[in-house]
Amino acid sequence: PCGTVQREIGVATGMLMATGKLSANEAFAQLHNASQQLHHDLRDVARHVATTGQLPDKPDELRPQTDGKTAI
């Protein structure tokens, strides 16, 4: 499970790097900032980015995964 979360964050970071021409630190900072502003776990923001290719704009775009399965 921990490795899965790290992989999701890595995928999301990579997607933000590719689409926004960002460094790894800049991309991770965007994930972290979105997590803080939307009051959601970083893994939920990362899962959203990995699925949609975009940072969420509002909290209702994020749905925590509760079934124990990985969305990716």
Side-chain angles (χ1 to χ4, degrees):
C2 182
T4 301
V5 172
Q6 290 174 341
R7 185 172 56 245
E8 289 175 339
I9 292 170
V11 167
T13 299
M15 291 179 77
L16 291 175
M17 290 170 64
T19 59
K21 295 186 173 43
L22 304 171
S23 71
N25 287 338
E26 291 168 330
F28 183 80
Q30 284 193 1
L31 287 174
H32 182 263
N33 290 340
S35 171
Q36 296 292 307
Q37 291 173 355
L38 299 172
H39 305 286
H40 274 272
D41 288 339
L42 182 63
R43 70 175 167 257
D44 296 331
V45 174
R47 187 176 295 122
H48 179 83
V49 171
T51 303
T52 67
Q54 299 177 21
L55 285 166
D57 292 325
K58 42 194 174 192
D60 62 347
E61 293 180 352
L62 297 168
R63 290 177 295 155
Q65 185 123 2
T66 57
D67 64 2
K69 295 180 183 173
T70 303
I72 297 178

